[in-house]
Amino acid sequence: MNRIVVVGASAAGLAAAETLRREGYEGPLTLVGDEPHLPYDRPPLSKQLLASEWEQDRLELRRSEDLAALDLDLRLGVEATGLDVAGRRVLLADGSEAPYDGLVVATGVRPRRLPGEGAHVLRTLNDALTLRERLEPGLRLVVVGAGFLGAEAAAVAWRLGARVTVLEPAAVPLAHAVGEEVGRVLSRAHLDRGVDLRCGVTVAEVTEDGVRLGDGEIVEADEVLVAIGSVPNTDWLADSGLAVGDGVVCDEYLEAARNVYAAGDVARWYNPLFGTSMRIEHRTNAAEQGMAAARNLLRPDARKPFAPVPYFWSDQYDMKIQAYGFLRGHDEVAVVEGDLAERRFVAVYRTGDRVSGALAVGMPPKAVRLWRQAIATGALWDESVPAPAQRS
Ligand SMILES: Cc1cc2nc3c(=O)[nH]c(=O)nc-3n(C[C@H](O)[C@H](O)[C@H](O)COP(=O)(O)OP(=O)(O)OC[C@H]3O[C@@H](n4cnc5c(N)ncnc54)[C@H](O)[C@@H]3O)c2cc1C
């Protein structure tokens, strides 16, 4: 392998670049990113940075001297606009191109938007700084979407004294991901604090005064944050011939085409542990997948399937939420420890006859980490989960 290019200079792309060097690749290594900043961490954007507890320098993923030690051809503020797989080159917006023998695609996702102008989204450092400037006591903030991102931002805005309304199309927020019971617990955290959470409400557009709902009603706001999910950044691959369908489609080794790998939020790959294809927008997965893609690219003879137990966390109000596994599409949820009403519990998830996930709220990390092993080994539900009468 003589030349390697990584496109996307964030969690997954940086992890790939570092791994290539750590594993002994000494050749030319280009890291392309369209944001002007050095690689930074996104989870604090909706938490510590939005709350003004941290400044942006704390988000940097590496110090500049550590980046320098990687001996990268670092092209920041430059967008990749096309990929020529046969010619093995990435086309860049400045008119130049980056030839490669091996490529890692790590271009992440961007926020889904609503019709109308003037709403905030929350994906980049600039997005977070712009929203943060507006947050002040008494501000009327409408958050569209009560997913993890919307809930975190609503919690911070409430803490800063804003009057927060959250509009959510589903009857129970996050029910599709964590189940109805757990979704209701998370909803109550908003309602208990006087955040106006309205479920079963669709938003048609953003207007000058706030948002217009599907039934025509206007909900007035000083600022609107749209947090309704994201779209993989694959437009630049449209003419490449790579299979793209809600992400770059990869096999279990994260390979999309010969010597072209994908990692992070943009990658849809077959996870053999769960026997299904998935695309995951979690911080830990992005780094682990970047490392795995780099290793497989570098050592094709020793490559390994990427079969992780996904992990994510979220901080909302005083709740620390942690989860392992693949919760979507589950068949059953059981609370095995603690109490939903106290917002202190561990819930485990069954898919088919296996334990497929575990989620904890307000519990020490080890309480949920215990279940990681059960998920990793495909443990049978009946043998692992105590019967209802024996649950604490
Ligand atoms: C506000 C916020 C809070 C979050 N909180 C949590 C959390 O609490 N827990 C958790 O597990 N996860 C959380 N996440 C998710 C986590 O941050 C992501 O999973 C992670 O950042 C994904 O890393 P990535 O490198 O795959 O993609 P990204 O971080 O999206 O990076 C992709 C990079 O590629 C660039 N790019 C895109 N297209 C091109 C192109 N054509 N050319 C060049 N560059 C391009 C992008 O601008 C970006 O810099 C959060 C995300 C956000 C936005």
Side-chain angles (χ1 to χ4, degrees), residues 7-14 32-35 40-47 75 78-82 92 106-110 122-124 128 149 152 233-234 236 263-267 280-287 289 311-315:
V7 184
S10 187
L14 179 63
V32 181
D34 62 0
E35 291 185 79
Y40 63 88
D41 208 15
R42 284 178 215 281
L45 296 178
S46 51
K47 306 175 185 72
R75 311 237 193 128
V78 184
E79 190 187 356
T81 50
L92 302 176
T107 43
V109 297
R110 63 180 179 277
L122 187 44
R123 182 76 198 171
T124 66
L149 185 65
E152 289 187 353
N233 286 322
T234 53
W236 66 286
D265 288 9
V266 77
I280 287 183
E281 297 181 16
H282 299 164
R283 174 65 180 82
T284 311
N285 183 69
Q289 212 166 20
Y311 166 74
F312 78 87
W313 79 96
S314 174
D315 301 329

Side-chain angles (χ1 to χ4, degrees), residues 248-257 260-262 268-272 289 296 303-306:
V248 177
V249 178
C250 309
D251 62 16
E252 68 263 46
Y253 301 102
L254 305 173
E255 197 178 41
V260 177
Y261 285 77
R268 167 166 288 283
W269 92 107
Y270 178 80
N271 183 338
Q289 212 166 20
N296 285 348
R303 59 189 203 154
K304 294 198 182 99
F306 184 63

